[in-house]
Amino acid sequence: MTALACLRIFVGADLCFTDTDSMAALVAKVAGAYLETTWKWPRRYGLVAPFSFVLADPRAERLDARELQDLARALQHKLFGDQGDGDVTLLTFEGDQTDVMRFAGATALQLKGLLDGEDDGAFAGRVCKITPTDVSSVAPPGGPVAGEPPMEALRAQEHMVAPARTAYRGVFHTQREVFVGNISVWREAGSVSVFGMEPPAADASEAGHDIPNLESARRALEGETSGVMFFPISFSTLVKPSARAELTPYLETLPQASRARLAAAVYDTPRAPSFSALSQMKQYLNPFFGRIDLRVSDPAFQVDDLPPDLASSVTLMLPTGVEAVRLAAISRFMRDAAGYRRKRIWQGVTDVRNRREVNACIELGVPFITGPGVTDLLETPAHVSPCSALHLPLHDWSARVTGAAASQVA
């Protein structure tokens, strides 16, 4: 039971979109501030296009349109003042995922009938029209605007704080266009992710998070029978005897039957690690993991110096900073593709943040990619499933395809 809707915001005296970045940014800021205080966890929301949000509530079967009237009033006041000449109108659409995303990308002209309060049948679902003074059902005409359960019942529920937990980023095979696994990402208590509205930031990995992340993600394995699960482990932990001793009891709880699809994602790997450190790491991890992924920050990582059969993959963590620097790092990393093939080591890129970076990885032949441009931070692992690159990123509200469509994981 998860209610899913697209929220479209129309501004201007003629109820048309104002096609300016400044107006879109202001609307996003006002709407984001409202949703941050009212649309709390376990609800999810995200900005999927200018003036378009997706709202999801796992506690409801139908969203309550009345709850969004305060947003219409806040936008009206912020944009036009109490006596302004402009108008604000919100449309909410509830239907299947395909129609929700189609609604998010529709033009104002395509939605003119709905804005006029008439259902032209273009979208099969529930549509409500919300203004600062009125809330009405457009489709079905005269239908209910209250939710199931209504907003009064939801507000009476005890406020929930997001617990400390593991979230997931799906690992995407670009050539086969299929999700092949997940990497676990630790989230502190109270942390939520809001797609499209948070400043770009890499998924932080800290040695202190490795053990709770390992425990949490291990439990998720019980419900996932296919696909690779990557567990982040600090390189520094693996070269310190005391840190290894602390980690060992938790590694011993990993299911041996799943070893072939378990991968150690060794982050903060130096540019030129010593042979002895790598050998020690391999010997320690081998009983628990079927794969070792070295996570590096240097696109010129010395792959030719790696001992044979030490790692199955090397993944580049993109640098922070401007997009041009990040794109240049992808290009430099893939310049050594022939060397990686000779070593029979897969290449991957993580922290891929947007469509341009996804496209660059595909064009340059990066086999595996992860990051916000590939999936949102997911509350449950992405299933092994086909997915067109055009449909990235995957969200918690996205339809999850199950089955063995990609049972062979390279």
Side-chain angles (χ1 to χ4, degrees):
M1 179 183 74
T2 295
L4 177 68
C6 175
L7 168 66
R8 293 289 298 268
I9 300 173
F10 297 80
V11 299
D14 56 353
L15 293 182
C16 291
F17 281 124
T18 302
D19 295 318
T20 65
D21 292 340
S22 58
M23 178 61 79
L26 179 57
V27 168
K29 182 178 179 180
V30 176
Y34 171 82
L35 293 170
E36 183 180 5
T37 58
T38 61
W39 210 262
K40 294 183 178 293
W41 194 90
R43 290 168 158 184
R44 301 292 298 277
Y45 67 93
L47 180 69
V48 294
F51 307 96
S52 297
F53 292 80
V54 167
L55 309 177
D57 191 340
R59 305 169 301 166
E61 294 184 4
R62 185 176 70 210
L63 297 184
D64 198 315
R66 299 173 301 161
E67 193 172 2
L68 296 170
Q69 191 172 28
D70 284 343
L71 172 58
R73 292 170 178 154
L75 285 165
Q76 177 76 33
H77 175 75
K78 187 70 175 181
L79 299 178
F80 303 112
D82 294 331
Q83 305 297 324
D85 294 330
D87 296 296
V88 171
T89 295
L90 313 182
L91 289 179
T92 61
F93 171 80
E94 293 179 68
D96 65 29
Q97 179 203 334
T98 300
D99 278 342
V100 165
M101 298 313 291
R102 187 165 66 90
F103 188 86
T107 66
L109 183 61
Q110 291 172 310
L111 300 179
K112 187 178 186 304
L114 296 175
L115 285 168
D116 292 338
E118 301 173 357
D119 178 20
D120 58 5
F123 294 91
R126 174 178 178 244
V127 180
C128 289
K129 179 180 177 181
I130 304 157
T131 70
T133 58
D134 185 55
V135 180
S136 61
S137 174
V138 178
V145 295
E148 291 184 3
M151 65 179 185
E152 293 85 359
L154 290 178
R155 287 173 177 174
Q157 294 182 13
E158 183 179 355
H159 175 61
M160 302 175 68
V161 176
R165 67 204 186 280
T166 291
Y168 303 89
R169 295 277 193 201
V171 179
F172 186 72
H173 193 303
T174 61
Q175 291 142 359
R176 292 162 53 193
E177 294 195 313
V178 63
F179 281 99
V180 297
N182 297 268
I183 183 164
S184 57
V185 180
W186 184 249
R187 304 287 282 163
E188 296 285 7
S191 61
V192 295
S193 62
V194 183
F195 179 79
M197 300 197 65
E198 294 178 311
D203 295 329
S205 294
E206 300 178 12
H209 295 162
D210 292 350
I211 287 175
N213 194 10
L214 188 69
E215 288 189 286
S216 180
R218 174 180 55 81
R219 292 190 289 270
L221 286 171
E222 299 173 3
E224 292 292 322
T225 59
S226 61
V228 179
M229 181 68 79
F230 291 82
F231 294 91
I233 300 176
S234 170
F235 182 87
S236 64
T237 295
L238 299 174
V239 297
K240 297 176 181 177
S242 60
R244 290 199 305 270
E246 182 181 2
L247 180 64
T248 299
Y250 299 94
L251 294 181
E252 290 173 341
T253 65
L254 293 174
Q256 275 295 307
S258 300
R259 176 184 173 277
R261 63 186 188 91
L262 303 184
V266 182
Y267 62 89
D268 291 341
T269 301
R271 183 174 189 266
S274 69
F275 178 84
S276 61
L278 291 173
S279 298
Q280 186 180 63
M281 177 192 72
K282 173 74 171 179
Q283 184 178 11
Y284 174 74
L285 294 174
N286 196 58
F288 311 110
F289 298 98
R291 305 156 188 257
I292 295 177
D293 173 50
L294 300 180
R295 306 214 143 205
V296 303
S297 57
D298 187 346
F301 178 75
Q302 301 298 301
V303 65
D304 289 332
D305 294 339
L306 285 181
D309 301 321
L310 181 131
S312 57
S313 57
V314 171
T315 297
L316 174 67
M317 168 65 77
L318 291 178
T320 58
V322 298
E323 186 178 271
V325 173
R326 295 164 60 81
L327 294 174
I330 299 171
S331 179
R332 175 61 187 87
F333 183 56
M334 293 309 296
R335 197 187 308 166
D336 296 330
Y340 282 90
R341 286 194 295 269
R342 284 195 302 270
K343 287 279 189 175
R344 297 186 177 181
I345 294 174
W346 291 102
Q347 288 175 282
V349 173
T350 191
D351 193 34
V352 176
R353 295 180 181 174
N354 56 45
R355 172 56 56 181
R356 285 183 294 275
E357 292 178 1
V358 168
N359 290 343
C361 288
I362 293 172
E363 292 167 6
L364 291 169
V366 180
F368 298 102
I369 56 175
T370 57
V374 180
T375 70
D376 195 359
L377 270 172
L378 306 174
E379 295 295 330
T380 58
H383 297 305
V384 172
S385 58
C387 177
S388 169
L390 296 176
H391 295 162
L392 299 178
L394 182 77
H395 302 275
D396 270 326
W397 57 73
S398 301
R400 302 291 187 87
V401 181
T402 59
S407 57
Q408 298 289 327
V409 180

